[in-house]
PDB file of all heavy atoms in Angstrom:
ATOM      1  N   PRO A1272      43.450  66.956  -8.934  1.00 97.00           N
ATOM      2  CA  PRO A1272      43.045  67.079 -10.338  1.00 97.00           C
ATOM      3  C   PRO A1272      42.954  68.546 -10.782  1.00 97.00           C
ATOM      4  O   PRO A1272      42.402  69.395 -10.111  1.00 97.00           O
ATOM      5  CB  PRO A1272      41.657  66.442 -10.354  1.00 97.00           C
ATOM      6  CG  PRO A1272      41.722  65.416  -9.256  1.00 97.00           C
ATOM      7  CD  PRO A1272      42.526  66.039  -8.158  1.00 97.00           C
ATOM      8  N   GLY A1273      43.565  68.827 -11.936  1.00 98.00           N
ATOM      9  CA  GLY A1273      43.552  70.150 -12.512  1.00 98.00           C
ATOM     10  C   GLY A1273      44.753  71.005 -12.138  1.00 98.00           C
ATOM     11  O   GLY A1273      45.032  72.024 -12.783  1.00 98.00           O
ATOM     12  N   GLY A1274      45.516  70.613 -11.097  1.00 98.00           N
ATOM     13  CA  GLY A1274      46.631  71.408 -10.648  1.00 98.00           C
ATOM     14  C   GLY A1274      47.756  71.469 -11.661  1.00 98.00           C
ATOM     15  O   GLY A1274      48.326  72.574 -11.906  1.00 98.00           O
ATOM     16  N   LEU A1275      48.107  70.367 -12.269  1.00 98.00           N
ATOM     17  CA  LEU A1275      49.176  70.335 -13.267  1.00 98.00           C
ATOM     18  C   LEU A1275      48.812  71.141 -14.536  1.00 98.00           C
ATOM     19  O   LEU A1275      49.623  71.966 -15.000  1.00 98.00           O
ATOM     20  CB  LEU A1275      49.520  68.883 -13.650  1.00 98.00           C
ATOM     21  CG  LEU A1275      50.536  68.708 -14.791  1.00 98.00           C
ATOM     22  CD1 LEU A1275      51.876  69.350 -14.457  1.00 98.00           C
ATOM     23  CD2 LEU A1275      50.742  67.224 -15.057  1.00 98.00           C
ATOM     24  N   SER A1276      47.631  70.927 -15.043  1.00 98.00           N
ATOM     25  CA  SER A1276      47.225  71.634 -16.271  1.00 98.00           C
ATOM     26  C   SER A1276      47.118  73.160 -16.036  1.00 98.00           C
ATOM     27  O   SER A1276      47.544  73.943 -16.907  1.00 98.00           O
ATOM     28  CB  SER A1276      45.924  71.102 -16.820  1.00 98.00           C
ATOM     29  OG  SER A1276      44.901  71.134 -15.838  1.00 98.00           O
ATOM     30  N   ARG A1277      46.653  73.563 -14.889  1.00 98.00           N
ATOM     31  CA  ARG A1277      46.621  74.996 -14.603  1.00 98.00           C
ATOM     32  C   ARG A1277      48.015  75.595 -14.544  1.00 98.00           C
ATOM     33  O   ARG A1277      48.255  76.705 -15.017  1.00 98.00           O
ATOM     34  CB  ARG A1277      45.921  75.221 -13.293  1.00 98.00           C
ATOM     35  CG  ARG A1277      44.374  75.129 -13.350  1.00 98.00           C
ATOM     36  CD  ARG A1277      43.697  75.693 -12.100  1.00 98.00           C
ATOM     37  NE  ARG A1277      44.118  74.977 -10.897  1.00 98.00           N
ATOM     38  CZ  ARG A1277      43.466  73.924 -10.436  1.00 98.00           C
ATOM     39  NH1 ARG A1277      42.397  73.458 -11.075  1.00 98.00           N
ATOM     40  NH2 ARG A1277      43.871  73.312  -9.344  1.00 98.00           N
ATOM     41  N   ALA A1278      48.963  74.845 -13.921  1.00 98.00           N
ATOM     42  CA  ALA A1278      50.335  75.372 -13.820  1.00 98.00           C
ATOM     43  C   ALA A1278      51.000  75.484 -15.219  1.00 98.00           C
ATOM     44  O   ALA A1278      51.664  76.449 -15.482  1.00 98.00           O
ATOM     45  CB  ALA A1278      51.151  74.406 -12.933  1.00 98.00           C
ATOM     46  N   VAL A1279      50.741  74.509 -16.058  1.00 98.00           N
ATOM     47  CA  VAL A1279      51.340  74.534 -17.413  1.00 98.00           C
ATOM     48  C   VAL A1279      50.756  75.670 -18.221  1.00 98.00           C
ATOM     49  O   VAL A1279      51.471  76.445 -18.864  1.00 98.00           O
ATOM     50  CB  VAL A1279      51.136  73.195 -18.108  1.00 98.00           C
ATOM     51  CG1 VAL A1279      51.523  73.286 -19.615  1.00 98.00           C
ATOM     52  CG2 VAL A1279      51.956  72.074 -17.443  1.00 98.00           C
ATOM     53  N   ARG A1280      49.453  75.812 -18.179  1.00 98.00           N
ATOM     54  CA  ARG A1280      48.816  76.900 -18.964  1.00 98.00           C
ATOM     55  C   ARG A1280      49.311  78.271 -18.464  1.00 98.00           C
ATOM     56  O   ARG A1280      49.674  79.153 -19.293  1.00 98.00           O
ATOM     57  CB  ARG A1280      47.284  76.827 -18.783  1.00 98.00           C
ATOM     58  CG  ARG A1280      46.625  75.650 -19.469  1.00 98.00           C
ATOM     59  CD  ARG A1280      45.107  75.811 -19.445  1.00 98.00           C
ATOM     60  NE  ARG A1280      44.411  74.548 -19.659  1.00 98.00           N
ATOM     61  CZ  ARG A1280      43.826  73.855 -18.658  1.00 98.00           C
ATOM     62  NH1 ARG A1280      43.888  74.266 -17.413  1.00 98.00           N
ATOM     63  NH2 ARG A1280      43.230  72.718 -18.946  1.00 98.00           N
ATOM     64  N   GLY A1281      49.385  78.431 -17.158  1.00 98.00           N
ATOM     65  CA  GLY A1281      49.855  79.725 -16.609  1.00 98.00           C
ATOM     66  C   GLY A1281      51.313  80.007 -16.971  1.00 98.00           C
ATOM     67  O   GLY A1281      51.621  81.126 -17.296  1.00 98.00           O
ATOM     68  N   ALA A1282      52.165  78.981 -16.940  1.00 98.00           N
ATOM     69  CA  ALA A1282      53.546  79.152 -17.244  1.00 98.00           C
ATOM     70  C   ALA A1282      53.771  79.580 -18.685  1.00 98.00           C
ATOM     71  O   ALA A1282      54.674  80.379 -18.975  1.00 98.00           O
ATOM     72  CB  ALA A1282      54.342  77.895 -16.923  1.00 98.00           C
ATOM     73  N   LEU A1283      53.003  79.017 -19.598  1.00 98.00           N
ATOM     74  CA  LEU A1283      53.203  79.264 -21.052  1.00 98.00           C
ATOM     75  C   LEU A1283      52.563  80.528 -21.518  1.00 98.00           C
ATOM     76  O   LEU A1283      52.719  80.879 -22.685  1.00 98.00           O
ATOM     77  CB  LEU A1283      52.683  78.061 -21.821  1.00 98.00           C
ATOM     78  CG  LEU A1283      53.458  76.746 -21.626  1.00 98.00           C
ATOM     79  CD1 LEU A1283      52.738  75.582 -22.280  1.00 98.00           C
ATOM     80  CD2 LEU A1283      54.890  76.893 -22.146  1.00 98.00           C
ATOM     81  N   GLN A1284      51.843  81.240 -20.662  1.00 97.00           N
ATOM     82  CA  GLN A1284      51.181  82.500 -21.108  1.00 97.00           C
ATOM     83  C   GLN A1284      52.179  83.612 -21.334  1.00 97.00           C
ATOM     84  O   GLN A1284      51.906  84.534 -22.130  1.00 97.00           O
ATOM     85  CB  GLN A1284      50.203  82.957 -19.996  1.00 97.00           C
ATOM     86  CG  GLN A1284      48.882  82.174 -20.010  1.00 97.00           C
ATOM     87  CD  GLN A1284      47.921  82.692 -18.944  1.00 97.00           C
ATOM     88  OE1 GLN A1284      48.264  83.517 -18.095  1.00 97.00           O
ATOM     89  NE2 GLN A1284      46.680  82.213 -18.997  1.00 97.00           N
ATOM     90  N   ASP A1285      53.333  83.613 -20.686  1.00 96.00           N
ATOM     91  CA  ASP A1285      54.282  84.674 -20.814  1.00 96.00           C
ATOM     92  C   ASP A1285      55.641  84.129 -21.199  1.00 96.00           C
ATOM     93  O   ASP A1285      56.514  83.811 -20.352  1.00 96.00           O
ATOM     94  CB  ASP A1285      54.402  85.437 -19.476  1.00 96.00           C
ATOM     95  CG  ASP A1285      55.208  86.702 -19.559  1.00 96.00           C
ATOM     96  OD1 ASP A1285      55.942  86.876 -20.568  1.00 96.00           O
ATOM     97  OD2 ASP A1285      55.100  87.558 -18.661  1.00 96.00           O
ATOM     98  N   PRO A1286      55.933  83.955 -22.524  1.00 95.00           N
ATOM     99  CA  PRO A1286      57.161  83.371 -22.999  1.00 95.00           C
ATOM    100  C   PRO A1286      58.434  84.139 -22.507  1.00 95.00           C
ATOM    101  O   PRO A1286      59.451  83.525 -22.222  1.00 95.00           O
ATOM    102  CB  PRO A1286      57.031  83.401 -24.506  1.00 95.00           C
ATOM    103  CG  PRO A1286      55.552  83.472 -24.752  1.00 95.00           C
ATOM    104  CD  PRO A1286      54.977  84.250 -23.628  1.00 95.00           C
ATOM    105  N   ASP A1287      58.334  85.442 -22.511  1.00 96.00           N
ATOM    106  CA  ASP A1287      59.505  86.240 -22.087  1.00 96.00           C
ATOM    107  C   ASP A1287      59.841  85.981 -20.618  1.00 96.00           C
ATOM    108  O   ASP A1287      61.033  85.855 -20.264  1.00 96.00           O
ATOM    109  CB  ASP A1287      59.243  87.752 -22.318  1.00 96.00           C
ATOM    110  CG  ASP A1287      59.152  88.130 -23.777  1.00 96.00           C
ATOM    111  OD1 ASP A1287      59.670  87.347 -24.601  1.00 96.00           O
ATOM    112  OD2 ASP A1287      58.511  89.154 -24.086  1.00 96.00           O
ATOM    113  N   ARG A1288      58.853  85.907 -19.770  1.00 97.00           N
ATOM    114  CA  ARG A1288      59.107  85.629 -18.363  1.00 97.00           C
ATOM    115  C   ARG A1288      59.689  84.230 -18.208  1.00 97.00           C
ATOM    116  O   ARG A1288      60.653  84.006 -17.455  1.00 97.00           O
ATOM    117  CB  ARG A1288      57.803  85.702 -17.571  1.00 97.00           C
ATOM    118  CG  ARG A1288      57.981  85.392 -16.088  1.00 97.00           C
ATOM    119  CD  ARG A1288      56.642  85.141 -15.422  1.00 97.00           C
ATOM    120  NE  ARG A1288      56.815  84.817 -14.014  1.00 97.00           N
ATOM    121  CZ  ARG A1288      55.919  84.138 -13.306  1.00 97.00           C
ATOM    122  NH1 ARG A1288      54.815  83.745 -13.868  1.00 97.00           N
ATOM    123  NH2 ARG A1288      56.167  83.855 -12.050  1.00 97.00           N
ATOM    124  N   LEU A1289      59.190  83.298 -18.986  1.00 97.00           N
ATOM    125  CA  LEU A1289      59.666  81.919 -18.946  1.00 97.00           C
ATOM    126  C   LEU A1289      61.102  81.835 -19.346  1.00 97.00           C
ATOM    127  O   LEU A1289      61.914  81.105 -18.760  1.00 97.00           O
ATOM    128  CB  LEU A1289      58.793  81.048 -19.847  1.00 97.00           C
ATOM    129  CG  LEU A1289      58.806  79.516 -19.647  1.00 97.00           C
ATOM    130  CD1 LEU A1289      58.423  79.167 -18.199  1.00 97.00           C
ATOM    131  CD2 LEU A1289      57.872  78.843 -20.619  1.00 97.00           C
ATOM    132  N   ALA A1290      61.497  82.562 -20.402  1.00 96.00           N
ATOM    133  CA  ALA A1290      62.892  82.566 -20.820  1.00 96.00           C
ATOM    134  C   ALA A1290      63.805  83.116 -19.734  1.00 96.00           C
ATOM    135  O   ALA A1290      64.907  82.639 -19.509  1.00 96.00           O
ATOM    136  CB  ALA A1290      63.016  83.373 -22.136  1.00 96.00           C
ATOM    137  N   GLY A1291      63.353  84.187 -19.091  1.00 97.00           N
ATOM    138  CA  GLY A1291      64.121  84.732 -17.945  1.00 97.00           C
ATOM    139  C   GLY A1291      64.268  83.751 -16.798  1.00 97.00           C
ATOM    140  O   GLY A1291      65.323  83.668 -16.137  1.00 97.00           O
ATOM    141  N   MET A1292      63.171  83.052 -16.491  1.00 98.00           N
ATOM    142  CA  MET A1292      63.236  82.039 -15.454  1.00 98.00           C
ATOM    143  C   MET A1292      64.217  80.937 -15.770  1.00 98.00           C
ATOM    144  O   MET A1292      64.895  80.395 -14.885  1.00 98.00           O
ATOM    145  CB  MET A1292      61.806  81.443 -15.178  1.00 98.00           C
ATOM    146  CG  MET A1292      60.862  82.393 -14.502  1.00 98.00           C
ATOM    147  SD  MET A1292      59.216  81.632 -14.322  1.00 98.00           S
ATOM    148  CE  MET A1292      59.634  80.204 -13.250  1.00 98.00           C
ATOM    149  N   ALA A1293      64.267  80.539 -17.027  1.00 97.00           N
ATOM    150  CA  ALA A1293      65.184  79.449 -17.430  1.00 97.00           C
ATOM    151  C   ALA A1293      66.629  79.907 -17.170  1.00 97.00           C
ATOM    152  O   ALA A1293      67.451  79.085 -16.654  1.00 97.00           O
ATOM    153  CB  ALA A1293      64.994  79.163 -18.904  1.00 97.00           C
ATOM    154  N   ILE A1294      66.967  81.142 -17.462  1.00 97.00           N
ATOM    155  CA  ILE A1294      68.297  81.638 -17.214  1.00 97.00           C
ATOM    156  C   ILE A1294      68.588  81.663 -15.712  1.00 97.00           C
ATOM    157  O   ILE A1294      69.659  81.254 -15.256  1.00 97.00           O
ATOM    158  CB  ILE A1294      68.487  83.064 -17.824  1.00 97.00           C
ATOM    159  CG1 ILE A1294      68.378  82.977 -19.343  1.00 97.00           C
ATOM    160  CG2 ILE A1294      69.810  83.683 -17.363  1.00 97.00           C
ATOM    161  CD1 ILE A1294      68.344  84.355 -20.010  1.00 97.00           C
ATOM    162  N   ALA A1295      67.616  82.128 -14.908  1.00 98.00           N
ATOM    163  CA  ALA A1295      67.797  82.167 -13.466  1.00 98.00           C
ATOM    164  C   ALA A1295      67.921  80.789 -12.845  1.00 98.00           C
ATOM    165  O   ALA A1295      68.750  80.580 -11.943  1.00 98.00           O
ATOM    166  CB  ALA A1295      66.610  82.919 -12.841  1.00 98.00           C
ATOM    167  N   ALA A1296      67.132  79.854 -13.353  1.00 97.00           N
ATOM    168  CA  ALA A1296      67.204  78.504 -12.797  1.00 97.00           C
ATOM    169  C   ALA A1296      68.536  77.837 -13.105  1.00 97.00           C
ATOM    170  O   ALA A1296      69.105  77.141 -12.214  1.00 97.00           O
ATOM    171  CB  ALA A1296      66.054  77.641 -13.408  1.00 97.00           C
ATOM    172  N   ARG A1297      69.079  78.066 -14.273  1.00 97.00           N
ATOM    173  CA  ARG A1297      70.374  77.510 -14.621  1.00 97.00           C
ATOM    174  C   ARG A1297      71.489  78.082 -13.729  1.00 97.00           C
ATOM    175  O   ARG A1297      72.347  77.348 -13.200  1.00 97.00           O
ATOM    176  CB  ARG A1297      70.715  77.734 -16.085  1.00 97.00           C
ATOM    177  CG  ARG A1297      71.985  77.045 -16.532  1.00 97.00           C
ATOM    178  CD  ARG A1297      72.156  77.068 -18.065  1.00 97.00           C
ATOM    179  NE  ARG A1297      73.213  76.192 -18.431  1.00 97.00           N
ATOM    180  CZ  ARG A1297      74.492  76.566 -18.585  1.00 97.00           C
ATOM    181  NH1 ARG A1297      74.866  77.842 -18.363  1.00 97.00           N
ATOM    182  NH2 ARG A1297      75.392  75.667 -18.964  1.00 97.00           N
ATOM    183  N   ALA A1298      71.451  79.395 -13.556  1.00 97.00           N
ATOM    184  CA  ALA A1298      72.457  80.022 -12.705  1.00 97.00           C
ATOM    185  C   ALA A1298      72.339  79.524 -11.274  1.00 97.00           C
ATOM    186  O   ALA A1298      73.386  79.289 -10.617  1.00 97.00           O
ATOM    187  CB  ALA A1298      72.255  81.556 -12.746  1.00 97.00           C
ATOM    188  N   TYR A1299      71.173  79.331 -10.763  1.00 97.00           N
ATOM    189  CA  TYR A1299      70.961  78.885  -9.391  1.00 97.00           C
ATOM    190  C   TYR A1299      71.455  77.454  -9.226  1.00 97.00           C
ATOM    191  O   TYR A1299      72.113  77.087  -8.211  1.00 97.00           O
ATOM    192  CB  TYR A1299      69.462  78.996  -9.044  1.00 97.00           C
ATOM    193  CG  TYR A1299      69.148  78.866  -7.604  1.00 97.00           C
ATOM    194  CD1 TYR A1299      69.360  79.960  -6.750  1.00 97.00           C
ATOM    195  CD2 TYR A1299      68.619  77.689  -7.084  1.00 97.00           C
ATOM    196  CE1 TYR A1299      69.052  79.909  -5.385  1.00 97.00           C
ATOM    197  CE2 TYR A1299      68.336  77.605  -5.742  1.00 97.00           C
ATOM    198  CZ  TYR A1299      68.539  78.703  -4.884  1.00 97.00           C
ATOM    199  OH  TYR A1299      68.258  78.611  -3.521  1.00 97.00           O
ATOM    200  N   THR A1300      71.180  76.608 -10.245  1.00 96.00           N
ATOM    201  CA  THR A1300      71.645  75.235 -10.175  1.00 96.00           C
ATOM    202  C   THR A1300      73.176  75.146 -10.201  1.00 96.00           C
ATOM    203  O   THR A1300      73.771  74.369  -9.434  1.00 96.00           O
ATOM    204  CB  THR A1300      71.054  74.414 -11.363  1.00 96.00           C
ATOM    205  OG1 THR A1300      69.627  74.334 -11.169  1.00 96.00           O
ATOM    206  CG2 THR A1300      71.624  73.027 -11.424  1.00 96.00           C
ATOM    207  N   LEU A1301      73.801  75.913 -11.098  1.00 95.00           N
ATOM    208  CA  LEU A1301      75.262  75.901 -11.188  1.00 95.00           C
ATOM    209  C   LEU A1301      75.917  76.452  -9.914  1.00 95.00           C
ATOM    210  O   LEU A1301      77.063  76.076  -9.618  1.00 95.00           O
ATOM    211  CB  LEU A1301      75.708  76.727 -12.410  1.00 95.00           C
ATOM    212  CG  LEU A1301      75.307  76.108 -13.739  1.00 95.00           C
ATOM    213  CD1 LEU A1301      75.737  77.052 -14.887  1.00 95.00           C
ATOM    214  CD2 LEU A1301      75.949  74.753 -13.953  1.00 95.00           C
ATOM    215  N   GLU A1302      75.222  77.251  -9.194  1.00 96.00           N
ATOM    216  CA  GLU A1302      75.767  77.813  -7.945  1.00 96.00           C
ATOM    217  C   GLU A1302      75.597  76.869  -6.751  1.00 96.00           C
ATOM    218  O   GLU A1302      76.475  76.717  -5.931  1.00 96.00           O
ATOM    219  CB  GLU A1302      75.145  79.166  -7.618  1.00 96.00           C
ATOM    220  CG  GLU A1302      75.679  79.797  -6.329  1.00 96.00           C
ATOM    221  CD  GLU A1302      75.093  81.168  -6.072  1.00 96.00           C
ATOM    222  OE1 GLU A1302      74.215  81.625  -6.820  1.00 96.00           O
ATOM    223  OE2 GLU A1302      75.506  81.817  -5.065  1.00 96.00           O
ATOM    224  N   HIS A1303      74.439  76.203  -6.678  1.00 96.00           N
ATOM    225  CA  HIS A1303      74.091  75.502  -5.483  1.00 96.00           C
ATOM    226  C   HIS A1303      73.938  73.977  -5.601  1.00 96.00           C
ATOM    227  O   HIS A1303      73.921  73.280  -4.590  1.00 96.00           O
ATOM    228  CB  HIS A1303      72.787  76.037  -4.899  1.00 96.00           C
ATOM    229  CG  HIS A1303      72.862  77.447  -4.496  1.00 96.00           C
ATOM    230  ND1 HIS A1303      73.673  77.912  -3.504  1.00 96.00           N
ATOM    231  CD2 HIS A1303      72.178  78.560  -4.953  1.00 96.00           C
ATOM    232  CE1 HIS A1303      73.549  79.232  -3.356  1.00 96.00           C
ATOM    233  NE2 HIS A1303      72.624  79.641  -4.212  1.00 96.00           N
ATOM    234  N   HIS A1304      73.787  73.435  -6.807  1.00 96.00           N
ATOM    235  CA  HIS A1304      73.357  72.030  -6.937  1.00 96.00           C
ATOM    236  C   HIS A1304      74.295  71.137  -7.790  1.00 96.00           C
ATOM    237  O   HIS A1304      73.964  70.041  -8.071  1.00 96.00           O
ATOM    238  CB  HIS A1304      71.953  71.942  -7.462  1.00 96.00           C
ATOM    239  CG  HIS A1304      70.951  72.613  -6.572  1.00 96.00           C
ATOM    240  ND1 HIS A1304      70.815  72.281  -5.252  1.00 96.00           N
ATOM    241  CD2 HIS A1304      70.048  73.571  -6.820  1.00 96.00           C
ATOM    242  CE1 HIS A1304      69.872  73.017  -4.708  1.00 96.00           C
ATOM    243  NE2 HIS A1304      69.370  73.828  -5.627  1.00 96.00           N
ATOM    244  N   THR A1305      75.491  71.616  -8.118  1.00 95.00           N
ATOM    245  CA  THR A1305      76.461  70.794  -8.772  1.00 95.00           C
ATOM    246  C   THR A1305      77.106  69.853  -7.766  1.00 95.00           C
ATOM    247  O   THR A1305      76.964  69.981  -6.550  1.00 95.00           O
ATOM    248  CB  THR A1305      77.539  71.667  -9.423  1.00 95.00           C
ATOM    249  OG1 THR A1305      78.222  72.377  -8.380  1.00 95.00           O
ATOM    250  CG2 THR A1305      76.965  72.606 -10.446  1.00 95.00           C
ATOM    251  N   LEU A1306      77.827  68.877  -8.296  1.00 95.00           N
ATOM    252  CA  LEU A1306      78.580  67.970  -7.387  1.00 95.00           C
ATOM    253  C   LEU A1306      79.490  68.735  -6.445  1.00 95.00           C
ATOM    254  O   LEU A1306      79.545  68.498  -5.264  1.00 95.00           O
ATOM    255  CB  LEU A1306      79.385  66.973  -8.247  1.00 95.00           C
ATOM    256  CG  LEU A1306      78.645  65.825  -8.856  1.00 95.00           C
ATOM    257  CD1 LEU A1306      79.519  65.117  -9.913  1.00 95.00           C
ATOM    258  CD2 LEU A1306      78.196  64.812  -7.823  1.00 95.00           C
TER     259      LEU A1306
END
């Protein structure tokens, strides 16, 4: 209990960092997790 809400609050505190992570996550998926 409380783990999910803490993670969401923490993630949304820094929009710029979150935008950078989204770019990195997409690049990582396209490199390693496509068919």
Side-chain angles (χ1 to χ4, degrees):
L1275 174 58
S1276 55
R1277 283 194 299 272
V1279 170
R1280 292 191 199 102
L1283 293 171
Q1284 282 182 351
D1285 191 342
D1287 291 338
R1288 179 196 179 202
L1289 198 57
M1292 287 179 61
I1294 294 171
R1297 185 169 192 269
Y1299 195 76
T1300 294
L1301 292 176
E1302 182 179 0
H1303 297 298
H1304 299 306
T1305 61
L1306 283 167

